PDB file of all heavy atoms in Angstrom:
ATOM      1  N   VAL H  99      -3.799  -1.689 -11.878  1.00  0.00           N
ATOM      2  CA  VAL H  99      -3.890  -3.160 -11.929  1.00  0.00           C
ATOM      3  C   VAL H  99      -4.154  -3.695 -10.515  1.00  0.00           C
ATOM      4  O   VAL H  99      -4.964  -4.655 -10.321  1.00  0.00           O
ATOM      5  CB  VAL H  99      -2.511  -3.700 -12.498  1.00  0.00           C
ATOM      6  CG1 VAL H  99      -2.519  -5.184 -12.412  1.00  0.00           C
ATOM      7  CG2 VAL H  99      -2.455  -3.260 -13.964  1.00  0.00           C
ATOM      8  N   TYR H 100      -3.427  -3.184  -9.484  1.00  0.00           N
ATOM      9  CA  TYR H 100      -3.601  -3.707  -8.176  1.00  0.00           C
ATOM     10  C   TYR H 100      -5.109  -3.621  -7.736  1.00  0.00           C
ATOM     11  O   TYR H 100      -5.591  -4.473  -6.985  1.00  0.00           O
ATOM     12  CB  TYR H 100      -2.701  -2.982  -7.191  1.00  0.00           C
ATOM     13  CG  TYR H 100      -1.256  -3.277  -7.309  1.00  0.00           C
ATOM     14  CD1 TYR H 100      -0.316  -2.338  -6.879  1.00  0.00           C
ATOM     15  CD2 TYR H 100      -0.776  -4.391  -7.980  1.00  0.00           C
ATOM     16  CE1 TYR H 100       1.071  -2.595  -7.039  1.00  0.00           C
ATOM     17  CE2 TYR H 100       0.546  -4.638  -8.160  1.00  0.00           C
ATOM     18  CZ  TYR H 100       1.493  -3.748  -7.641  1.00  0.00           C
ATOM     19  OH  TYR H 100       2.772  -3.990  -7.829  1.00  0.00           O
ATOM     20  N   ILE H 101      -5.688  -2.435  -8.015  1.00  0.00           N
ATOM     21  CA  ILE H 101      -7.039  -2.153  -7.520  1.00  0.00           C
ATOM     22  C   ILE H 101      -8.135  -2.786  -8.334  1.00  0.00           C
ATOM     23  O   ILE H 101      -9.041  -3.446  -7.782  1.00  0.00           O
ATOM     24  CB  ILE H 101      -7.195  -0.641  -7.481  1.00  0.00           C
ATOM     25  CG1 ILE H 101      -6.242   0.010  -6.484  1.00  0.00           C
ATOM     26  CG2 ILE H 101      -8.693  -0.312  -7.062  1.00  0.00           C
ATOM     27  CD1 ILE H 101      -6.317   1.545  -6.444  1.00  0.00           C
ATOM     28  N   PHE H 102      -8.021  -2.709  -9.690  1.00  0.00           N
ATOM     29  CA  PHE H 102      -9.158  -3.178 -10.519  1.00  0.00           C
ATOM     30  C   PHE H 102      -8.967  -4.543 -11.193  1.00  0.00           C
ATOM     31  O   PHE H 102      -9.909  -5.099 -11.654  1.00  0.00           O
ATOM     32  CB  PHE H 102      -9.453  -2.119 -11.584  1.00  0.00           C
ATOM     33  CG  PHE H 102      -9.806  -0.786 -10.981  1.00  0.00           C
ATOM     34  CD1 PHE H 102      -8.879   0.294 -10.934  1.00  0.00           C
ATOM     35  CD2 PHE H 102     -11.076  -0.568 -10.466  1.00  0.00           C
ATOM     36  CE1 PHE H 102      -9.183   1.497 -10.435  1.00  0.00           C
ATOM     37  CE2 PHE H 102     -11.456   0.653  -9.971  1.00  0.00           C
ATOM     38  CZ  PHE H 102     -10.593   1.692  -9.946  1.00  0.00           C
ATOM     39  N   PHE H 103      -7.688  -4.982 -11.286  1.00  0.00           N
ATOM     40  CA  PHE H 103      -7.486  -6.175 -12.076  1.00  0.00           C
ATOM     41  C   PHE H 103      -6.598  -7.179 -11.230  1.00  0.00           C
ATOM     42  O   PHE H 103      -5.590  -7.682 -11.679  1.00  0.00           O
ATOM     43  CB  PHE H 103      -6.739  -5.937 -13.356  1.00  0.00           C
ATOM     44  CG  PHE H 103      -7.516  -4.981 -14.278  1.00  0.00           C
ATOM     45  CD1 PHE H 103      -7.155  -3.603 -14.313  1.00  0.00           C
ATOM     46  CD2 PHE H 103      -8.531  -5.430 -15.094  1.00  0.00           C
ATOM     47  CE1 PHE H 103      -7.832  -2.726 -15.101  1.00  0.00           C
ATOM     48  CE2 PHE H 103      -9.252  -4.537 -15.847  1.00  0.00           C
ATOM     49  CZ  PHE H 103      -8.882  -3.180 -15.903  1.00  0.00           C
ATOM     50  N   GLN H 104      -7.030  -7.361 -10.004  1.00  0.00           N
ATOM     51  CA  GLN H 104      -6.246  -8.179  -9.032  1.00  0.00           C
ATOM     52  C   GLN H 104      -6.227  -9.635  -9.548  1.00  0.00           C
ATOM     53  O   GLN H 104      -5.259 -10.302  -9.406  1.00  0.00           O
ATOM     54  CB  GLN H 104      -6.795  -8.076  -7.672  1.00  0.00           C
ATOM     55  CG  GLN H 104      -6.012  -8.785  -6.611  1.00  0.00           C
ATOM     56  CD  GLN H 104      -4.665  -8.151  -6.392  1.00  0.00           C
ATOM     57  OE1 GLN H 104      -3.589  -8.898  -6.387  1.00  0.00           O
ATOM     58  NE2 GLN H 104      -4.578  -6.862  -6.186  1.00  0.00           N
ATOM     59  N   ASN H 105      -7.346 -10.124 -10.051  1.00  0.00           N
ATOM     60  CA  ASN H 105      -7.418 -11.511 -10.505  1.00  0.00           C
ATOM     61  C   ASN H 105      -6.522 -11.762 -11.691  1.00  0.00           C
ATOM     62  O   ASN H 105      -5.846 -12.769 -11.743  1.00  0.00           O
ATOM     63  CB  ASN H 105      -8.859 -11.895 -10.778  1.00  0.00           C
ATOM     64  CG  ASN H 105      -9.762 -11.845  -9.604  1.00  0.00           C
ATOM     65  OD1 ASN H 105      -9.288 -12.132  -8.482  1.00  0.00           O
ATOM     66  ND2 ASN H 105     -11.045 -11.551  -9.756  1.00  0.00           N
ATOM     67  N   LYS H 106      -6.547 -10.897 -12.694  1.00  0.00           N
ATOM     68  CA  LYS H 106      -5.704 -11.089 -13.821  1.00  0.00           C
ATOM     69  C   LYS H 106      -4.234 -10.895 -13.479  1.00  0.00           C
ATOM     70  O   LYS H 106      -3.353 -11.475 -14.135  1.00  0.00           O
ATOM     71  CB  LYS H 106      -6.104 -10.127 -14.879  1.00  0.00           C
ATOM     72  CG  LYS H 106      -7.476 -10.403 -15.542  1.00  0.00           C
ATOM     73  CD  LYS H 106      -7.742  -9.554 -16.769  1.00  0.00           C
ATOM     74  CE  LYS H 106      -8.977  -9.933 -17.445  1.00  0.00           C
ATOM     75  NZ  LYS H 106      -8.892 -11.275 -18.070  1.00  0.00           N
ATOM     76  N   TYR H 107      -3.989 -10.140 -12.418  1.00  0.00           N
ATOM     77  CA  TYR H 107      -2.613  -9.870 -12.023  1.00  0.00           C
ATOM     78  C   TYR H 107      -1.949 -11.115 -11.410  1.00  0.00           C
ATOM     79  O   TYR H 107      -0.818 -11.453 -11.719  1.00  0.00           O
ATOM     80  CB  TYR H 107      -2.607  -8.788 -10.958  1.00  0.00           C
ATOM     81  CG  TYR H 107      -1.233  -8.584 -10.241  1.00  0.00           C
ATOM     82  CD1 TYR H 107      -0.232  -7.870 -10.897  1.00  0.00           C
ATOM     83  CD2 TYR H 107      -0.968  -9.084  -8.930  1.00  0.00           C
ATOM     84  CE1 TYR H 107       0.996  -7.737 -10.257  1.00  0.00           C
ATOM     85  CE2 TYR H 107       0.217  -8.901  -8.331  1.00  0.00           C
ATOM     86  CZ  TYR H 107       1.250  -8.181  -9.027  1.00  0.00           C
ATOM     87  OH  TYR H 107       2.417  -8.040  -8.366  1.00  0.00           O
ATOM     88  N   ARG H 108      -2.737 -11.969 -10.789  1.00  0.00           N
ATOM     89  CA  ARG H 108      -2.248 -13.173 -10.184  1.00  0.00           C
ATOM     90  C   ARG H 108      -2.426 -14.427 -11.095  1.00  0.00           C
ATOM     91  O   ARG H 108      -1.989 -15.483 -10.733  1.00  0.00           O
ATOM     92  CB  ARG H 108      -2.999 -13.492  -8.878  1.00  0.00           C
ATOM     93  CG  ARG H 108      -2.762 -12.406  -7.798  1.00  0.00           C
ATOM     94  CD  ARG H 108      -3.470 -12.727  -6.519  1.00  0.00           C
ATOM     95  NE  ARG H 108      -3.283 -11.679  -5.501  1.00  0.00           N
ATOM     96  CZ  ARG H 108      -2.267 -11.623  -4.710  1.00  0.00           C
ATOM     97  NH1 ARG H 108      -1.343 -12.538  -4.756  1.00  0.00           N
ATOM     98  NH2 ARG H 108      -2.123 -10.624  -3.830  1.00  0.00           N
ATOM     99  N   GLU H 109      -3.080 -14.210 -12.218  1.00  0.00           N
ATOM    100  CA  GLU H 109      -3.281 -15.297 -13.150  1.00  0.00           C
ATOM    101  C   GLU H 109      -1.962 -15.840 -13.770  1.00  0.00           C
ATOM    102  O   GLU H 109      -1.226 -15.055 -14.250  1.00  0.00           O
ATOM    103  CB  GLU H 109      -4.256 -14.890 -14.238  1.00  0.00           C
ATOM    104  CG  GLU H 109      -4.714 -16.062 -15.171  1.00  0.00           C
ATOM    105  CD  GLU H 109      -5.744 -15.540 -16.196  1.00  0.00           C
ATOM    106  OE1 GLU H 109      -6.135 -14.347 -16.124  1.00  0.00           O
ATOM    107  OE2 GLU H 109      -6.045 -16.343 -17.042  1.00  0.00           O
ATOM    108  N   ASN H 110      -1.707 -17.126 -13.651  1.00  0.00           N
ATOM    109  CA  ASN H 110      -0.551 -17.758 -14.243  1.00  0.00           C
ATOM    110  C   ASN H 110       0.762 -17.229 -13.681  1.00  0.00           C
ATOM    111  O   ASN H 110       1.834 -17.506 -14.212  1.00  0.00           O
ATOM    112  CB  ASN H 110      -0.509 -17.625 -15.775  1.00  0.00           C
ATOM    113  CG  ASN H 110      -1.677 -18.276 -16.442  1.00  0.00           C
ATOM    114  OD1 ASN H 110      -2.163 -19.382 -15.924  1.00  0.00           O
ATOM    115  ND2 ASN H 110      -2.196 -17.698 -17.533  1.00  0.00           N
ATOM    116  N   ASN H 111       0.671 -16.441 -12.584  1.00  0.00           N
ATOM    117  CA  ASN H 111       1.831 -15.961 -11.870  1.00  0.00           C
ATOM    118  C   ASN H 111       2.649 -14.989 -12.795  1.00  0.00           C
ATOM    119  O   ASN H 111       3.889 -14.665 -12.477  1.00  0.00           O
ATOM    120  CB  ASN H 111       2.757 -17.109 -11.393  1.00  0.00           C
ATOM    121  CG  ASN H 111       3.712 -16.671 -10.363  1.00  0.00           C
ATOM    122  OD1 ASN H 111       3.328 -15.804  -9.478  1.00  0.00           O
ATOM    123  ND2 ASN H 111       4.888 -17.197 -10.341  1.00  0.00           N
ATOM    124  N   ARG H 112       2.123 -14.597 -13.989  1.00  0.00           N
ATOM    125  CA  ARG H 112       2.877 -13.765 -14.859  1.00  0.00           C
ATOM    126  C   ARG H 112       3.003 -12.307 -14.363  1.00  0.00           C
ATOM    127  O   ARG H 112       4.039 -11.655 -14.477  1.00  0.00           O
ATOM    128  CB  ARG H 112       2.223 -13.763 -16.201  1.00  0.00           C
ATOM    129  CG  ARG H 112       3.001 -13.033 -17.336  1.00  0.00           C
ATOM    130  CD  ARG H 112       2.304 -13.184 -18.666  1.00  0.00           C
ATOM    131  NE  ARG H 112       2.263 -14.616 -18.989  1.00  0.00           N
ATOM    132  CZ  ARG H 112       1.598 -15.023 -20.120  1.00  0.00           C
ATOM    133  NH1 ARG H 112       0.970 -14.214 -20.876  1.00  0.00           N
ATOM    134  NH2 ARG H 112       1.570 -16.337 -20.370  1.00  0.00           N
ATOM    135  N   GLY H 113       1.845 -11.789 -13.746  1.00  0.00           N
ATOM    136  CA  GLY H 113       1.858 -10.408 -13.310  1.00  0.00           C
ATOM    137  C   GLY H 113       2.875 -10.159 -12.184  1.00  0.00           C
ATOM    138  O   GLY H 113       3.699  -9.253 -12.278  1.00  0.00           O
ATOM    139  N   PRO H 114       2.933 -11.000 -11.120  1.00  0.00           N
ATOM    140  CA  PRO H 114       3.927 -10.776 -10.122  1.00  0.00           C
ATOM    141  C   PRO H 114       5.387 -10.855 -10.649  1.00  0.00           C
ATOM    142  O   PRO H 114       6.242 -10.192 -10.163  1.00  0.00           O
ATOM    143  CB  PRO H 114       3.622 -11.891  -9.029  1.00  0.00           C
ATOM    144  CG  PRO H 114       2.126 -12.170  -9.286  1.00  0.00           C
ATOM    145  CD  PRO H 114       1.934 -12.007 -10.775  1.00  0.00           C
ATOM    146  N   LEU H 115       5.602 -11.857 -11.512  1.00  0.00           N
ATOM    147  CA  LEU H 115       6.970 -11.960 -12.021  1.00  0.00           C
ATOM    148  C   LEU H 115       7.417 -10.703 -12.832  1.00  0.00           C
ATOM    149  O   LEU H 115       8.551 -10.199 -12.624  1.00  0.00           O
ATOM    150  CB  LEU H 115       7.088 -13.140 -12.952  1.00  0.00           C
ATOM    151  CG  LEU H 115       7.047 -14.504 -12.205  1.00  0.00           C
ATOM    152  CD1 LEU H 115       7.080 -15.674 -13.286  1.00  0.00           C
ATOM    153  CD2 LEU H 115       8.216 -14.714 -11.331  1.00  0.00           C
ATOM    154  N   ILE H 116       6.482 -10.170 -13.625  1.00  0.00           N
ATOM    155  CA  ILE H 116       6.827  -8.950 -14.382  1.00  0.00           C
ATOM    156  C   ILE H 116       7.018  -7.787 -13.403  1.00  0.00           C
ATOM    157  O   ILE H 116       7.941  -6.996 -13.564  1.00  0.00           O
ATOM    158  CB  ILE H 116       5.727  -8.671 -15.423  1.00  0.00           C
ATOM    159  CG1 ILE H 116       5.675  -9.752 -16.459  1.00  0.00           C
ATOM    160  CG2 ILE H 116       5.916  -7.301 -16.047  1.00  0.00           C
ATOM    161  CD1 ILE H 116       4.515  -9.565 -17.418  1.00  0.00           C
ATOM    162  N   ASP H 117       6.171  -7.729 -12.415  1.00  0.00           N
ATOM    163  CA  ASP H 117       6.211  -6.642 -11.415  1.00  0.00           C
ATOM    164  C   ASP H 117       7.552  -6.731 -10.680  1.00  0.00           C
ATOM    165  O   ASP H 117       8.222  -5.719 -10.329  1.00  0.00           O
ATOM    166  CB  ASP H 117       5.082  -6.707 -10.503  1.00  0.00           C
ATOM    167  CG  ASP H 117       4.873  -5.449  -9.634  1.00  0.00           C
ATOM    168  OD1 ASP H 117       5.531  -4.410 -10.049  1.00  0.00           O
ATOM    169  OD2 ASP H 117       4.189  -5.477  -8.641  1.00  0.00           O
ATOM    170  N   PHE H 118       7.993  -7.917 -10.352  1.00  0.00           N
ATOM    171  CA  PHE H 118       9.232  -8.121  -9.603  1.00  0.00           C
ATOM    172  C   PHE H 118      10.443  -7.645 -10.433  1.00  0.00           C
ATOM    173  O   PHE H 118      11.354  -6.907  -9.981  1.00  0.00           O
ATOM    174  CB  PHE H 118       9.398  -9.604  -9.215  1.00  0.00           C
ATOM    175  CG  PHE H 118      10.718  -9.940  -8.548  1.00  0.00           C
ATOM    176  CD1 PHE H 118      11.002  -9.575  -7.266  1.00  0.00           C
ATOM    177  CD2 PHE H 118      11.688 -10.673  -9.237  1.00  0.00           C
ATOM    178  CE1 PHE H 118      12.255  -9.845  -6.703  1.00  0.00           C
ATOM    179  CE2 PHE H 118      12.847 -10.947  -8.654  1.00  0.00           C
ATOM    180  CZ  PHE H 118      13.218 -10.547  -7.408  1.00  0.00           C
ATOM    181  N   ILE H 119      10.495  -8.085 -11.719  1.00  0.00           N
ATOM    182  CA  ILE H 119      11.688  -7.695 -12.569  1.00  0.00           C
ATOM    183  C   ILE H 119      11.690  -6.203 -12.780  1.00  0.00           C
ATOM    184  O   ILE H 119      12.691  -5.530 -12.651  1.00  0.00           O
ATOM    185  CB  ILE H 119      11.514  -8.448 -13.892  1.00  0.00           C
ATOM    186  CG1 ILE H 119      11.697  -9.957 -13.681  1.00  0.00           C
ATOM    187  CG2 ILE H 119      12.536  -7.965 -14.897  1.00  0.00           C
ATOM    188  CD1 ILE H 119      11.411 -10.782 -14.925  1.00  0.00           C
ATOM    189  N   VAL H 120      10.548  -5.556 -12.996  1.00  0.00           N
ATOM    190  CA  VAL H 120      10.488  -4.131 -13.272  1.00  0.00           C
ATOM    191  C   VAL H 120      10.880  -3.347 -11.990  1.00  0.00           C
ATOM    192  O   VAL H 120      11.605  -2.350 -12.058  1.00  0.00           O
ATOM    193  CB  VAL H 120       9.047  -3.723 -13.725  1.00  0.00           C
ATOM    194  CG1 VAL H 120       8.963  -2.216 -13.799  1.00  0.00           C
ATOM    195  CG2 VAL H 120       8.797  -4.325 -15.056  1.00  0.00           C
ATOM    196  N   THR H 121      10.471  -3.840 -10.768  1.00  0.00           N
ATOM    197  CA  THR H 121      10.836  -3.237  -9.609  1.00  0.00           C
ATOM    198  C   THR H 121      12.324  -3.211  -9.364  1.00  0.00           C
ATOM    199  O   THR H 121      12.921  -2.235  -8.908  1.00  0.00           O
ATOM    200  CB  THR H 121      10.147  -3.916  -8.388  1.00  0.00           C
ATOM    201  OG1 THR H 121       8.667  -3.839  -8.562  1.00  0.00           O
ATOM    202  CG2 THR H 121      10.402  -3.243  -7.130  1.00  0.00           C
ATOM    203  N   VAL H 122      13.000  -4.388  -9.642  1.00  0.00           N
ATOM    204  CA  VAL H 122      14.374  -4.464  -9.489  1.00  0.00           C
ATOM    205  C   VAL H 122      15.134  -3.564 -10.491  1.00  0.00           C
ATOM    206  O   VAL H 122      16.058  -2.866 -10.098  1.00  0.00           O
ATOM    207  CB  VAL H 122      14.887  -5.958  -9.724  1.00  0.00           C
ATOM    208  CG1 VAL H 122      16.389  -6.009  -9.763  1.00  0.00           C
ATOM    209  CG2 VAL H 122      14.371  -6.860  -8.648  1.00  0.00           C
ATOM    210  N   VAL H 123      14.667  -3.441 -11.677  1.00  0.00           N
ATOM    211  CA  VAL H 123      15.281  -2.577 -12.640  1.00  0.00           C
ATOM    212  C   VAL H 123      15.136  -1.157 -12.284  1.00  0.00           C
ATOM    213  O   VAL H 123      16.076  -0.345 -12.323  1.00  0.00           O
ATOM    214  CB  VAL H 123      14.596  -2.835 -14.074  1.00  0.00           C
ATOM    215  CG1 VAL H 123      15.072  -1.752 -15.059  1.00  0.00           C
ATOM    216  CG2 VAL H 123      14.948  -4.232 -14.570  1.00  0.00           C
ATOM    217  N   PHE H 124      13.967  -0.700 -11.845  1.00  0.00           N
ATOM    218  CA  PHE H 124      13.745   0.706 -11.405  1.00  0.00           C
ATOM    219  C   PHE H 124      14.540   1.010 -10.140  1.00  0.00           C
ATOM    220  O   PHE H 124      15.066   2.194 -10.012  1.00  0.00           O
ATOM    221  CB  PHE H 124      12.310   0.977 -11.202  1.00  0.00           C
ATOM    222  CG  PHE H 124      11.582   1.517 -12.449  1.00  0.00           C
ATOM    223  CD1 PHE H 124      10.575   0.769 -13.048  1.00  0.00           C
ATOM    224  CD2 PHE H 124      11.937   2.724 -12.970  1.00  0.00           C
ATOM    225  CE1 PHE H 124       9.931   1.221 -14.193  1.00  0.00           C
ATOM    226  CE2 PHE H 124      11.258   3.187 -14.044  1.00  0.00           C
ATOM    227  CZ  PHE H 124      10.272   2.490 -14.683  1.00  0.00           C
TER     228      PHE H 124
END
Side-chain angles (χ1 to χ4, degrees):
V99 172
Y100 291 158
I101 296 175
F102 299 103
F103 303 99
Q104 186 66 232
N105 294 330
K106 289 188 176 294
Y107 172 76
R108 298 179 181 276
E109 186 178 356
N110 297 327
N111 201 36
R112 185 177 301 174
L115 287 177
I116 295 175
D117 195 15
F118 174 73
I119 294 172
V120 174
T121 302
V122 172
V123 171
F124 268 113

